[in-house]
């Protein structure tokens, strides 16, 4: 049985990653849910965030998680890697950042509480052109693949890479 979840895009200022994680964890614990922040600058949009959350939830339900927490498991799926050290770099970073924020299960109260520490913004319509070189590097996407699939389908190529983590487990 799959849990429901919600994902939104937010802008936030992170003075201290541990401090922000504590604030987010406190909100989650107060409402009996889990909150995951994914670095949007390293991601291929909403569908990428959604697939990572779905894969993480499935791994948790099947008792097949690589990580000790759902939050870290989701970051592993975001990164397409099995090393938590790499996965953590796809989470919060110090300074100004844009994040995909996932809440499991979805909760209006959680969004209200989170709005005290972040600002929810309009979601990206498509992956910004300037992010393409980084995505190619992070996920090992070649110019040939991008040429065949088309630039507008880079999200599918990235999601394909993250889905490979499921096979490599």
């Amino acid at each position: 049985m799959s849990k429901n979840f919600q994902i939104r895009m937010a802008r936030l200022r992170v003075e201290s990653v541990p401090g922000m994680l504590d604030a987010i964890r406190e909100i989650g614990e107060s409402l009996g849910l889990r909150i995951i922040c994914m670095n949007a600058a390293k991601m291929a949009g909403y569908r990428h965030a959604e697939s990572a959350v779905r894969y993480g939830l499935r791994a948790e339900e099947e008792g097949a998680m690589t990580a000790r927490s759902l939050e870290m498991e989701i970051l592993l799926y975001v990164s397409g890697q099995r090393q938590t050290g790499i996965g953590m770099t796809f989470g919060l970073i110090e300074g100004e950042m844009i994040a995909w924020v996932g809440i499991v299960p979805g909760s209006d109260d959680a969004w209200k509480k989170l709005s005290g520490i972040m600002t929810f913004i309009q979601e990206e319509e498509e992956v910004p052109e300037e992010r393409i070189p980084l995505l190619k590097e992070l996920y090992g996407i070649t110019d040939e693949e991008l040429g065949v699939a088309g630039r507008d389908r880079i999200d599918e190529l990235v999601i394909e890479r993250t889905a490979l983590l499921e096979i490599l487990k």
Side-chain angles (χ1 to χ4, degrees):
M1 175 178 87
S2 192
K3 297 180 181 126
N4 76 330
F5 61 90
Q6 296 170 324
I7 300 172
R8 292 186 184 167
M9 190 171 239
R11 175 176 287 114
L12 58 159
R13 171 125 190 93
V14 180
E15 299 295 332
S16 153
V17 171
M20 182 62 82
L21 286 173
D22 285 346
I24 290 168
R25 197 172 296 116
E26 190 176 296
I27 291 169
E29 287 174 1
S30 75
L31 297 169
L33 47 78
R34 288 164 302 168
I35 302 166
I36 305 94
C37 292
M38 303 163 270
N39 187 343
K42 293 183 171 186
M43 295 179 65
Y46 179 88
R47 289 184 57 223
H48 183 188
E50 179 185 42
S51 71
V53 172
R54 285 190 193 284
Y55 281 124
L57 286 170
R58 186 166 73 199
E60 181 183 55
E61 289 168 8
E62 294 174 355
M65 291 197 331
T66 300
R68 290 189 205 124
S69 71
L70 174 65
E71 295 84 350
M72 190 73 228
E73 187 75 10
I74 290 169
L75 290 178
L76 293 178
Y77 278 106
V78 168
S79 72
Q81 302 287 324
R82 290 194 306 180
Q83 294 89 7
T84 56
I86 294 172
M88 286 183 357
T89 68
F90 287 76
L92 293 175
I93 57 169
E94 288 190 358
E96 295 282 336
M97 72 174 292
I98 304 291
W100 288 104
V101 180
I103 297 179
V104 180
S107 162
D108 290 342
D109 288 341
W111 295 120
K112 286 176 192 155
K113 286 188 175 195
L114 285 170
S115 68
I117 57 174
M118 59 185 70
T119 303
F120 297 102
I121 60 174
Q122 179 70 40
E123 295 175 2
E124 298 171 336
E125 298 274 331
E126 58 184 41
V127 177
E129 192 66 39
E130 63 273 8
R131 194 177 305 149
I132 303 288
L134 177 62
L135 293 176
K136 286 171 53 185
E137 179 186 333
L138 289 173
Y139 298 98
I141 296 168
T142 65
D143 289 334
E144 293 76 24
E145 284 177 290
L146 200 55
V148 170
R151 181 249 166 269
D152 60 326
R153 294 179 66 197
I154 191 157
D155 61 335
E156 293 175 33
L157 294 172
V158 170
I159 291 167
E160 179 181 279
R161 297 304 199 280
T162 62
L164 288 175
L165 185 62
E166 185 83 349
I167 296 165
L168 298 174
K169 277 185 160 183

